[in-house]
Coordinates of all heavy atoms in Angstrom, one line a residue:
M11 N 193.4 119.1 181.9 CA 194.4 119.6 182.8 C 193.7 119.5 184.2 O 192.6 119.9 184.4 CB 194.8 121.0 182.5 CG 195.8 121.6 183.5 SD 196.3 123.3 183.1 CE 196.6 123.2 181.4
N12 N 194.5 119.1 185.2 CA 194.0 119.0 186.5 C 194.0 120.4 187.2 O 194.8 121.2 186.9 CB 194.9 118.1 187.4 CG 194.8 116.7 187.0 OD1 193.8 116.2 186.5 ND2 195.9 115.9 187.1
P13 N 193.0 120.6 188.1 CA 193.0 121.9 188.8 C 194.1 122.0 189.8 O 194.7 121.0 190.2 CB 191.6 121.9 189.5 CG 191.3 120.5 189.7 CD 191.9 119.8 188.5
P14 N 194.5 123.2 190.2 CA 195.5 123.4 191.2 C 195.2 122.6 192.5 O 194.0 122.5 192.9 CB 195.6 124.9 191.5 CG 195.0 125.5 190.3 CD 193.9 124.5 189.8
T15 N 196.2 122.1 193.2 CA 196.0 121.4 194.4 C 195.8 122.4 195.6 O 196.1 123.6 195.4 CB 197.2 120.5 194.8 OG1 198.3 121.3 194.9 CG2 197.4 119.5 193.7
E16 N 195.4 121.9 196.7 CA 195.3 122.8 197.9 C 196.6 123.5 198.2 O 196.7 124.7 198.5 CB 194.9 122.0 199.1 CG 193.5 121.4 199.0 CD 192.4 122.2 199.6 OE1 192.7 123.1 200.4 OE2 191.3 121.8 199.4
R17 N 197.7 122.8 198.1 CA 199.1 123.3 198.4 C 199.4 124.4 197.3 O 199.9 125.5 197.7 CB 200.1 122.3 198.4 CG 201.5 122.8 198.7 CD 201.7 123.5 200.0 NE 202.1 122.5 201.0 CZ 202.4 122.7 202.2 NH1 202.2 123.9 202.7 NH2 202.8 121.8 203.1
Q18 N 199.1 124.1 196.1 CA 199.4 125.1 195.0 C 198.6 126.4 195.2 O 199.1 127.5 195.1 CB 199.1 124.5 193.6 CG 200.1 123.4 193.3 CD 199.6 122.6 192.1 OE1 198.5 122.8 191.5 NE2 200.4 121.6 191.7
L19 N 197.3 126.2 195.7 CA 196.5 127.4 195.9 C 197.0 128.2 197.2 O 197.0 129.4 197.2 CB 195.0 127.0 196.2 CG 194.3 126.4 195.0 CD1 192.9 125.9 195.4 CD2 194.1 127.5 194.0
E20 N 197.5 127.4 198.1 CA 198.1 128.1 199.3 C 199.3 128.9 198.9 O 199.5 130.1 199.4 CB 198.5 127.0 200.3 CG 199.2 127.5 201.6 CD 199.6 126.4 202.5 OE1 199.6 125.3 202.2 OE2 200.1 126.8 203.6
I21 N 200.1 128.4 198.0 CA 201.3 129.1 197.5 C 200.9 130.3 196.7 O 201.4 131.4 196.9 CB 202.2 128.2 196.7 CG1 202.9 127.2 197.7 CG2 203.3 128.9 195.9 CD1 203.6 126.0 197.0
A22 N 199.9 130.2 195.8 CA 199.5 131.3 195.0 C 198.9 132.4 195.9 O 199.2 133.6 195.7 CB 198.4 130.8 194.0
E23 N 198.1 132.0 196.9 CA 197.6 133.0 197.8 C 198.7 133.7 198.6 O 198.6 134.9 198.8 CB 196.6 132.3 198.8 CG 195.9 133.3 199.7 CD 194.9 132.7 200.7 OE1 194.7 131.5 200.6 OE2 194.4 133.4 201.5
M24 N 199.7 133.0 199.0 CA 200.8 133.6 199.8 C 201.5 134.6 198.9 O 201.9 135.7 199.3 CB 201.8 132.5 200.2 CG 203.0 133.0 200.9 SD 204.3 133.5 199.7 CE 205.5 134.4 200.8
M25 N 201.7 134.2 197.6 CA 202.4 135.1 196.7 C 201.6 136.4 196.5 O 202.2 137.5 196.4 CB 202.6 134.4 195.3 CG 203.6 133.2 195.3 SD 203.6 132.3 193.8 CE 204.3 133.6 192.7
L26 N 200.3 136.3 196.3 CA 199.5 137.5 196.1 C 199.5 138.4 197.4 O 199.6 139.6 197.3 CB 198.0 137.1 195.8 CG 197.1 138.2 195.5 CD1 197.6 139.0 194.3 CD2 195.7 137.7 195.2
R27 N 199.4 137.8 198.6 CA 199.4 138.6 199.8 C 200.8 139.3 199.9 O 200.8 140.5 200.3 CB 199.2 137.7 201.0 CG 197.8 137.3 201.3 CD 197.6 136.7 202.7 NE 198.7 135.9 203.1 CZ 198.7 134.5 203.0 NH1 197.7 133.9 202.5 NH2 199.7 133.8 203.5
Y28 N 201.9 138.6 199.6 CA 203.2 139.1 199.7 C 203.3 140.3 198.7 O 203.8 141.4 199.1 CB 204.2 138.1 199.4 CG 205.7 138.6 199.6 CD1 206.3 138.3 200.8 CD2 206.3 139.3 198.6 CE1 207.6 138.7 201.0 CE2 207.6 139.8 198.8 CZ 208.3 139.5 200.0 OH 209.6 139.9 200.2
H29 N 202.8 140.1 197.5 CA 202.9 141.2 196.5 C 202.1 142.4 196.9 O 202.6 143.5 196.7 CB 202.4 140.6 195.1 CG 202.6 141.6 194.0 ND1 201.6 142.5 193.6 CD2 203.7 141.9 193.2 CE1 202.1 143.3 192.7 NE2 203.3 142.9 192.4
D30 N 200.9 142.2 197.4 CA 200.1 143.3 197.9 C 200.8 144.1 199.0 O 200.7 145.3 199.0 CB 198.7 142.8 198.4 CG 197.8 142.3 197.3 OD1 198.1 142.6 196.1 OD2 196.8 141.7 197.6
A31 N 201.5 143.4 199.9 CA 202.2 144.0 201.0 C 203.5 144.7 200.7 O 203.9 145.7 201.2 CB 202.4 143.0 202.1
H32 N 204.2 144.1 199.7 CA 205.6 144.6 199.4 C 205.8 145.1 198.0 O 206.9 145.6 197.7 CB 206.6 143.4 199.6 CG 206.5 142.8 201.0 ND1 207.1 143.4 202.1 CD2 205.9 141.7 201.5 CE1 206.9 142.7 203.2 NE2 206.2 141.7 202.8
D33 N 204.8 145.1 197.2 CA 204.9 145.5 195.8 C 206.0 144.8 195.0 O 206.6 145.5 194.1 CB 205.0 147.0 195.7 CG 204.6 147.6 194.4 OD1 203.7 147.0 193.8 OD2 205.2 148.6 194.0
E34 N 206.3 143.6 195.4 CA 207.2 142.8 194.6 C 206.8 141.3 194.9 O 206.1 141.0 195.9 CB 208.7 143.0 194.9 CG 209.1 142.7 196.3 CD 210.5 143.1 196.6 OE1 211.2 143.6 195.7 OE2 210.9 142.9 197.8
W35 N 207.2 140.4 194.0 CA 206.9 139.0 194.2 C 207.9 138.4 195.2 O 209.1 138.8 195.2 CB 206.9 138.3 192.9 CG 205.8 138.8 192.0 CD1 206.0 139.7 190.9 CD2 204.4 138.6 192.1 NE1 204.8 140.0 190.4 CE2 203.8 139.4 191.1 CE3 203.6 137.9 193.0 CZ2 202.4 139.4 191.0 CZ3 202.3 137.9 192.8 CH2 201.7 138.6 191.8
P36 N 207.5 137.4 195.9 CA 208.4 136.7 196.9 C 209.4 135.8 196.2 O 209.2 135.4 195.1 CB 207.5 135.9 197.7 CG 206.3 135.5 196.8 CD 206.1 136.8 196.0
T37 N 210.5 135.6 196.8 CA 211.5 134.7 196.3 C 211.0 133.3 196.7 O 210.1 133.1 197.5 CB 212.9 134.9 197.0 OG1 212.8 134.6 198.4 CG2 213.4 136.3 196.8
Q38 N 211.7 132.3 196.1 CA 211.3 130.9 196.4 C 211.6 130.6 197.8 O 210.8 129.8 198.4 CB 212.0 129.9 195.4 CG 211.5 130.0 194.0 CD 212.1 128.9 193.1 OE1 212.5 127.9 193.6 NE2 212.1 129.2 191.8
R39 N 212.6 131.1 198.4 CA 212.9 130.9 199.8 C 211.8 131.5 200.7 O 211.4 130.9 201.7 CB 214.3 131.4 200.2 CG 214.6 131.2 201.7 CD 216.0 131.6 202.0 NE 217.0 130.9 201.3 CZ 217.5 129.7 201.6 NH1 217.0 129.0 202.7 NH2 218.4 129.1 200.9
E40 N 211.4 132.7 200.4 CA 210.3 133.3 201.1 C 209.0 132.5 201.0 O 208.3 132.4 202.0 CB 210.1 134.8 200.7 CG 211.2 135.7 201.0 CD 211.3 137.0 200.3 OE1 210.7 137.1 199.2 OE2 211.8 137.9 200.8
I41 N 208.7 132.0 199.9 CA 207.5 131.1 199.7 C 207.7 129.9 200.6 O 206.7 129.6 201.3 CB 207.3 130.7 198.2 CG1 207.0 132.0 197.4 CG2 206.2 129.7 198.1 CD1 207.1 131.8 195.9
A42 N 208.8 129.2 200.5 CA 209.0 128.0 201.2 C 208.9 128.2 202.7 O 208.2 127.5 203.4 CB 210.4 127.4 200.9
D43 N 209.5 129.3 203.2 CA 209.4 129.6 204.7 C 208.0 129.9 205.1 O 207.6 129.5 206.2 CB 210.3 130.8 205.0 CG 211.8 130.5 204.9 OD1 212.2 129.3 204.8 OD2 212.6 131.4 204.9
S44 N 207.3 130.6 204.3 CA 205.9 131.0 204.6 C 204.9 129.8 204.7 O 204.1 129.7 205.6 CB 205.4 132.0 203.6 OG 204.1 132.3 203.9
V45 N 205.1 128.8 203.7 CA 204.1 127.7 203.7 C 204.7 126.4 204.3 O 204.0 125.4 204.3 CB 203.6 127.4 202.3 CG1 202.9 128.7 201.7 CG2 204.7 127.0 201.3
G46 N 205.9 126.5 204.8 CA 206.4 125.4 205.6 C 206.9 124.2 204.7 O 206.7 123.0 205.1
I47 N 207.6 124.5 203.6 CA 208.2 123.5 202.8 C 209.6 123.8 202.6 O 210.1 124.9 202.8 CB 207.5 123.3 201.4 CG1 207.5 124.6 200.6 CG2 206.0 122.9 201.6 CD1 207.0 124.6 199.2
K48 N 210.4 122.8 202.1 CA 211.8 123.0 201.8 C 211.9 123.9 200.6 O 211.1 123.7 199.6 CB 212.5 121.7 201.6 CG 212.6 120.8 202.8 CD 213.3 119.5 202.5 CE 213.4 118.7 203.8 NZ 214.2 117.4 203.5
S49 N 212.8 124.8 200.6 CA 213.0 125.7 199.4 C 213.3 124.9 198.1 O 213.0 125.3 197.0 CB 214.0 126.8 199.7 OG 215.3 126.2 199.9
T50 N 213.9 123.7 198.3 CA 214.2 122.9 197.1 C 213.0 122.4 196.4 O 213.0 122.0 195.3 CB 215.2 121.8 197.4 OG1 214.6 121.0 198.5 CG2 216.6 122.3 197.8
N51 N 211.9 122.3 197.2 CA 210.6 121.7 196.6 C 209.7 122.8 196.0 O 208.8 122.5 195.4 CB 209.8 121.0 197.8 CG 210.5 119.7 198.2 OD1 211.4 119.2 197.5 ND2 210.2 119.3 199.4
T52 N 210.1 124.1 196.3 CA 209.2 125.1 195.8 C 209.1 125.2 194.3 O 208.0 125.4 193.8 CB 209.8 126.5 196.3 OG1 210.0 126.4 197.7 CG2 208.8 127.6 196.0
S53 N 210.2 124.9 193.6 CA 210.2 125.0 192.2 C 209.2 124.0 191.5 O 208.5 124.4 190.5 CB 211.6 124.7 191.6 OG 212.0 123.5 191.9
Q54 N 208.9 122.8 192.1 CA 208.0 121.9 191.5 C 206.5 122.5 191.6 O 205.7 122.3 190.7 CB 208.0 120.5 192.1 CG 207.5 120.5 193.6 CD 207.7 119.1 194.2 OE1 208.6 118.3 193.8 NE2 206.9 118.8 195.2
Y55 N 206.2 123.2 192.7 CA 204.9 123.8 192.9 C 204.7 124.9 191.9 O 203.7 125.1 191.3 CB 204.7 124.2 194.3 CG 204.6 123.1 195.3 CD1 205.6 122.8 196.2 CD2 203.4 122.3 195.3 CE1 205.4 121.8 197.1 CE2 203.2 121.3 196.2 CZ 204.3 121.0 197.1 OH 204.1 120.0 198.0
L56 N 205.8 125.8 191.8 CA 205.7 126.9 190.9 C 205.6 126.4 189.4 O 204.9 127.0 188.7 CB 206.9 127.8 191.1 CG 207.0 128.5 192.5 CD1 208.3 129.2 192.6 CD2 205.8 129.4 192.7
A57 N 206.3 125.4 189.1 CA 206.2 124.9 187.7 C 204.8 124.4 187.4 O 204.3 124.6 186.3 CB 207.2 123.7 187.5
A58 N 204.1 123.8 188.4 CA 202.8 123.3 188.2 C 201.8 124.5 188.0 O 200.9 124.5 187.2 CB 202.3 122.5 189.4
L59 N 202.0 125.6 188.8 CA 201.2 126.8 188.7 C 201.4 127.5 187.4 O 200.5 128.0 186.8 CB 201.5 127.8 189.9 CG 201.0 127.3 191.2 CD1 201.6 128.2 192.3 CD2 199.5 127.3 191.3
I60 N 202.7 127.4 186.9 CA 202.9 128.0 185.5 C 202.2 127.2 184.5 O 201.6 127.7 183.6 CB 204.4 128.1 185.3 CG1 205.1 129.1 186.2 CG2 204.7 128.4 183.8 CD1 206.6 129.1 186.3
K61 N 202.3 125.9 184.6 CA 201.7 125.0 183.6 C 200.2 125.2 183.6 O 199.5 125.1 182.5 CB 202.0 123.6 183.9 CG 201.5 122.6 182.9 CD 202.0 121.2 183.2 CE 201.5 120.2 182.2 NZ 201.9 118.8 182.5
K62 N 199.6 125.5 184.7 CA 198.1 125.6 184.8 C 197.7 127.1 184.6 O 196.5 127.4 184.6 CB 197.7 125.2 186.2 CG 197.9 123.7 186.4 CD 197.6 123.2 187.8 CE 197.9 121.7 187.9 NZ 197.6 121.2 189.2
G63 N 198.6 128.0 184.2 CA 198.2 129.3 183.8 C 198.0 130.3 185.0 O 197.5 131.4 184.8
V64 N 198.3 129.8 186.2 CA 198.1 130.6 187.4 C 199.3 131.6 187.6 O 199.2 132.7 188.1 CB 197.9 129.7 188.6 CG1 197.7 130.6 189.9 CG2 196.6 128.9 188.4
A65 N 200.5 131.1 187.3 CA 201.7 131.9 187.4 C 202.5 132.0 186.1 O 202.2 131.3 185.2 CB 202.6 131.3 188.5
M66 N 203.5 132.9 186.1 CA 204.3 133.0 184.9 C 205.7 133.3 185.3 O 206.0 133.8 186.4 CB 203.8 134.2 184.0 CG 203.9 135.5 184.7 SD 203.1 136.7 183.6 CE 203.1 138.1 184.8
K67 N 206.7 132.9 184.5 CA 208.1 133.1 184.7 C 208.5 134.5 184.3 O 208.0 135.1 183.3 CB 208.9 132.1 183.9 CG 210.3 132.0 184.2 CD 210.5 130.9 185.2 CE 211.9 130.5 185.3 NZ 212.4 130.4 186.6
L68 N 209.3 135.2 185.2 CA 209.8 136.5 184.9 C 211.3 136.4 184.7 O 212.0 135.5 185.2 CB 209.5 137.4 186.1 CG 208.1 137.6 186.5 CD1 208.1 138.5 187.8 CD2 207.3 138.3 185.4
D69 N 211.9 137.4 184.0 CA 213.3 137.5 183.8 C 213.9 138.4 184.8 O 214.4 139.5 184.5 CB 213.6 138.0 182.4 CG 213.2 137.0 181.3 OD1 213.3 135.8 181.6 OD2 212.8 137.4 180.3
R70 N 213.8 138.1 186.1 CA 214.2 139.0 187.2 C 215.0 138.3 188.3 O 214.6 138.3 189.4 CB 213.0 139.6 187.8 CG 212.3 140.6 187.0 CD 211.4 141.4 187.9 NE 210.4 142.0 187.2 CZ 209.3 142.4 187.8 NH1 209.1 142.3 189.0 NH2 208.4 143.0 187.0
G71 N 216.1 137.7 188.1 CA 216.9 137.1 189.1 C 216.1 136.3 190.1 O 215.4 135.4 189.8
R72 N 216.2 136.6 191.4 CA 215.6 135.8 192.5 C 214.1 135.9 192.5 O 213.5 135.0 193.0 CB 216.2 136.3 193.8 CG 217.7 136.0 194.0 CD 218.2 136.5 195.3 NE 217.4 137.5 196.1 CZ 217.0 137.3 197.3 NH1 217.3 136.2 198.0 NH2 216.3 138.2 198.0
R73 N 213.5 137.0 192.1 CA 212.1 137.1 192.2 C 211.6 136.8 190.8 O 211.1 137.8 190.1 CB 211.7 138.5 192.7 CG 212.2 138.7 194.1 CD 211.9 140.1 194.6 NE 212.6 140.4 195.8 CZ 212.2 139.9 197.0 NH1 211.1 139.2 197.2 NH2 212.9 140.2 198.1
N74 N 211.6 135.6 190.4 CA 211.4 135.3 189.0 C 210.1 134.6 188.6 O 209.9 134.1 187.5 CB 212.6 134.4 188.5 CG 212.7 133.1 189.2 OD1 211.9 132.8 190.1 ND2 213.6 132.2 188.7
V75 N 209.2 134.5 189.6 CA 207.8 134.0 189.3 C 206.8 134.9 189.8 O 206.9 135.4 191.0 CB 207.7 132.6 189.9 CG1 206.3 132.0 189.6 CG2 208.7 131.6 189.3
A76 N 205.8 135.2 189.0 CA 204.7 136.1 189.4 C 203.4 135.4 189.1 O 203.3 134.5 188.2 CB 204.8 137.4 188.7
L77 N 202.3 135.8 189.7 CA 201.0 135.3 189.3 C 200.5 136.0 188.1 O 200.9 137.2 187.8 CB 199.9 135.6 190.4 CG 200.1 134.9 191.8 CD1 198.9 135.2 192.7 CD2 200.2 133.4 191.6
T78 N 199.8 135.3 187.2 CA 199.2 135.9 186.1 C 198.1 136.8 186.5 O 197.6 136.6 187.7 CB 198.7 134.9 185.1 OG1 197.7 134.1 185.7 CG2 199.9 134.0 184.6
E79 N 197.6 137.6 185.7 CA 196.4 138.4 186.0 C 195.2 137.5 186.3 O 194.5 137.7 187.3 CB 196.1 139.4 184.8 CG 195.0 140.4 185.2 CD 194.9 141.4 184.0 OE1 195.9 141.9 183.5 OE2 193.7 141.7 183.7
K80 N 195.1 136.5 185.5 CA 194.0 135.5 185.7 C 194.2 134.8 187.1 O 193.2 134.6 187.8 CB 194.0 134.5 184.6 CG 193.1 133.3 184.8 CD 193.4 132.3 183.7 CE 192.8 130.9 184.1 NZ 193.2 129.9 183.1
G81 N 195.4 134.4 187.4 CA 195.6 133.7 188.7 C 195.4 134.6 189.9 O 194.7 134.2 190.9
A82 N 195.8 135.9 189.8 CA 195.6 136.8 190.9 C 194.1 137.0 191.1 O 193.6 137.1 192.2 CB 196.3 138.1 190.6
E83 N 193.3 137.2 190.0 CA 191.9 137.4 190.1 C 191.2 136.2 190.7 O 190.3 136.4 191.5 CB 191.3 137.8 188.7 CG 189.9 138.2 188.7 CD 189.6 139.4 189.5 OE1 190.5 140.3 189.7 OE2 188.5 139.5 190.1
M84 N 191.6 135.0 190.3 CA 191.0 133.8 190.8 C 191.2 133.7 192.3 O 190.3 133.4 193.1 CB 191.5 132.6 190.1 CG 191.0 132.5 188.7 SD 191.8 131.0 188.0 CE 190.6 130.7 186.7
I85 N 192.4 134.0 192.8 CA 192.7 134.0 194.2 C 191.9 135.0 195.0 O 191.3 134.8 196.0 CB 194.2 134.2 194.5 CG1 195.0 133.0 193.9 CG2 194.5 134.3 196.0 CD1 194.7 131.7 194.5
R86 N 191.8 136.2 194.4 CA 191.0 137.3 195.0 C 189.6 136.9 195.2 O 188.9 137.4 196.1 CB 191.2 138.6 194.3 CG 192.5 139.3 194.4 CD 192.5 140.7 193.8 NE 193.9 141.1 193.5 CZ 194.8 141.5 194.4 NH1 194.5 141.5 195.7 NH2 195.9 142.0 194.1
Q87 N 189.0 136.2 194.2 CA 187.6 135.8 194.3 C 187.4 134.5 195.1 O 186.3 134.0 195.1 CB 187.1 135.5 192.8 CG 187.1 136.8 192.0 CD 186.6 136.5 190.6 OE1 186.3 135.4 190.2 NE2 186.6 137.6 189.8
G88 N 188.4 134.1 195.8 CA 188.2 132.9 196.7 C 188.2 131.6 196.0 O 187.5 130.7 196.3
W89 N 189.1 131.5 195.0 CA 189.2 130.3 194.2 C 189.5 129.1 195.0 O 190.3 129.1 195.9 CB 190.3 130.5 193.2 CG 190.6 129.5 192.1 CD1 189.6 128.7 191.6 CD2 191.8 129.2 191.5 NE1 190.2 127.9 190.6 CE2 191.6 128.2 190.6 CE3 193.1 129.7 191.7 CZ2 192.6 127.7 189.8 CZ3 194.1 129.2 190.9 CH2 193.8 128.2 189.9
Q90 N 188.8 128.0 194.8 CA 189.0 126.7 195.5 C 189.0 125.6 194.4 O 188.4 125.8 193.3 CB 187.8 126.5 196.4 CG 187.7 127.5 197.5 CD 186.5 127.3 198.4 OE1 185.9 126.2 198.3 NE2 186.1 128.3 199.1
P91 N 189.7 124.5 194.7 CA 189.8 123.4 193.7 C 188.5 123.0 193.2 O 188.3 122.7 192.0 CB 190.5 122.3 194.5 CG 191.2 123.0 195.6 CD 190.4 124.2 195.9
T92 N 187.4 123.0 194.0 CA 186.1 122.5 193.5 C 185.5 123.5 192.6 O 184.5 123.2 191.9 CB 185.2 122.3 194.7 OG1 185.1 123.5 195.5 CG2 185.7 121.1 195.6
L93 N 186.0 124.7 192.5 CA 185.4 125.8 191.7 C 186.1 125.8 190.3 O 185.7 126.6 189.5 CB 185.4 127.1 192.3 CG 184.7 127.3 193.7 CD1 184.9 128.6 194.3 CD2 183.2 127.0 193.5
F94 N 187.2 125.1 190.1 CA 187.9 125.2 188.9 C 187.2 124.6 187.7 O 186.5 123.6 187.8 CB 189.3 124.5 189.1 CG 190.2 124.7 188.0 CD1 191.0 125.8 187.9 CD2 190.4 123.7 187.0 CE1 191.8 126.0 186.8 CE2 191.3 123.9 186.0 CZ 192.0 125.0 185.9

């Protein structure tokens, strides 16, 4: 399996910062606005993060993707593609 890309890591980091600040996970639109992509493209990045075990799907309406414990810990430790 390929390691997460720079953009995927940027999204995961944004998700973690948002969660730390708001105690909930961001919506796909909030992610898109924060990292400067179209909201329609957000799902492909989130699907890749889910496949790589960094994120997981939730059954919660609009806020339906969260980082896994492993993903959050990797981001907190300064995870980079070269360290994967």
Side-chain angles (χ1 to χ4, degrees):
M11 178 181 318
N12 292 328
T15 65
E16 297 263 349
R17 179 62 94 179
Q18 291 166 0
L19 290 173
E20 180 183 6
I21 289 169
E23 183 178 359
M24 176 276 168
M25 290 174 67
L26 184 59
R27 282 194 323 263
Y28 186 97
H29 186 265
D30 287 348
H32 302 281
D33 201 32
E34 64 183 358
W35 296 104
T37 63
Q38 289 189 23
R39 181 173 300 274
E40 290 165 335
I41 293 168
D43 290 346
S44 178
V45 299
I47 60 175
K48 293 181 181 182
S49 59
T50 54
N51 294 337
T52 308
S53 60
Q54 71 185 23
Y55 290 107
L56 295 175
L59 288 170
I60 291 168
K61 185 176 181 179
K62 294 174 182 184
V64 177
M66 63 184 170
K67 193 91 164 131
L68 301 174
D69 293 326
R70 287 195 203 165
R72 293 178 345 124
R73 301 180 189 278
N74 63 354
V75 178
L77 293 185
T78 61
E79 191 174 313
K80 172 185 161 187
E83 186 61 29
M84 290 177 158
I85 295 297
R86 289 191 198 285
Q87 292 179 2
W89 187 30
Q90 297 174 17
T92 57
L93 300 177
F94 189 79

